[in-house]
Amino acid sequence: MPETPGDPGLEEVGPLLQQRLVRTAIPGPRSEELMARRRSAVPAGVGTTLPVFVTRAAGGIVEDVDGNRLIDFGSGISVTNVGNSAPRVRAAVAAQLERFTHLCFQVTPYLGYVEVCEALNRLTPGDHEKRSFLVNSGAEAVENAVKVARYATGRQAVVAFDHGFHGRTQLAMTLTGKAMPYKSGFGPFAPEVYRARYSDPFRGQGQLAETLGFLETTVGAANVACIVVEPIAGEGGFVVPAPGWLAGLADWCRANGALLVADEVQSGFGRTGAWYACEHEGVVPDLVTTAKSLGGGLPIGAVTGRAEIMESVHPGGLGGTFGGNPLACAAALAAIETIEADGLLERANRIGGVMTDALEALARSHQAVGDVRGRGAMVAMELVGTDGLTPDKAAAGRVAAACHAQGLLVLTAGTQGNVLRLLPSLVIPDDLLEEGLGILAGAVASDERVAE
Ligand code: PLZ
């Protein structure tokens, strides 16, 4: 246990030494060998951000087969907010493993599933009566939220946004706003999906009036079942909408009998220093999707919504074989307890403050950093050309590669691929956070020298 809340000690993250170590080229020879095996067994369509094979991971470190220890600023795309070796999660899963691995909640219920739903009903925004049900992934959560919204409203049109990412299944892919690599060649897409402009203050796009005008004119207010929106666009580049935009959508939905679905798969579950990113805007959505960090590393997703909306669906209309798997439920309850007992929301804000200060300092000294944005521990910078606006995807790729070579795992993002996003676990030790930010700053500085 950490001695002070939000200040995890090394004991808490297990025996894996919380120190960066670069012993070989990255990837090293063993990883190269395993990558060759991967290439013969797994299609290239499943991408690889950093081709190192991992043996252990905890706190702020991933250790690879060549003995390198990398600082992890990705946390499995914000899945391991509580760390990828959280003691409570490990213990809860081990205990559940002794009892049973699976029953199927629709066949015979078990308490863990109900407890996760009770917790989500408590933690999601709004104090109205709610219901939740559990699925296996973010995409499945989004698909189900739309199913429920269509059923409850008796309407078909679904509105999504550019910069949006909602998953890789048919409907979730259709809702996603970026062709390559997510949609190109994978059509036809699901019908009755309309795409509006997302609010992007840096580029001055997507004013509320424009978005609402689109809903009224192009879609038709009476046709809209739901608006599916990320409170902060995740894969789209951590775009934080202009203040009031999200609330404007919520008001419009309420006035027009449509439902607001907040896709909090990436932004939720403590990442932004609140349980849900909507809270920063005082917005209470009708339906909320949760996945990623909900399971403390195990696969689980959820749809939470107003009781009257969720109860509209007939018995048997919702579910799935694996949804709310007992091990994943045990992990989720332990992840919730960890966030609450260890003060990880406060820790997300502290981490976010450190990251934002570092990136803003970089933006002041390097013209290539066009924008720094985010909330809590969900922070990104956009790399741009000499005009301060044109997206520079190549620069983002070079900076990420330079970080990887020095043992810092960073992720890119952005509709134009020019964003570097920081998503460390909320239990990353302070010194690793600082060290990683130093490596990133060095990579931006040397890249600018190359570019000149
Ligand atoms: N909604 C907001 O961020 C997943 C995608 C990684 P699944 N984001 C990471 C990739 O390249 O596929 C995501 C998200 C938001 C939905 C999803 C989908 O969640 O658990 O990947 O299905």
Side-chain angles (χ1 to χ4, degrees), residues 77 137-140 142 165-168 182 230 234-235 263-266 291-292:
I77 322 189
S137 67
E140 212 185 327
V142 172
F165 183 92
H166 302 286
R168 293 177 181 267
Y182 306 125
E230 294 168 83
E235 302 300 307
D263 182 353
E264 292 256 17
V265 165
Q266 188 157 167
K292 290 199 187 282

Side-chain angles (χ1 to χ4, degrees), residues 70-149:
L70 290 83
I71 300 176
D72 182 8
F73 273 11
S75 65
I77 322 189
S78 201
V79 167
T80 54
N81 286 358
V82 297
N84 32 27
S85 189
R88 289 185 190 84
V89 173
R90 294 202 323 256
V93 173
Q96 178 57 42
L97 201 50
E98 294 299 315
R99 292 196 288 269
F100 53 87
T101 56
H102 173 77
L103 292 167
C104 188
F105 187 74
Q106 292 144 251
V107 178
T108 49
Y110 41 92
L111 185 57
Y113 186 116
V114 178
E115 287 179 325
V116 173
C117 293
E118 287 170 348
L120 287 167
N121 295 344
R122 171 171 64 88
L123 297 170
T124 47
D127 51 14
H128 51 280
E129 196 176 342
K130 298 173 205 156
R131 300 284 186 272
S132 293
F133 65 97
L134 305 178
V135 294
N136 301 292
S137 67
E140 212 185 327
V142 172
E143 297 258 348
N144 276 282
V146 172
K147 270 174 72 172
V148 172

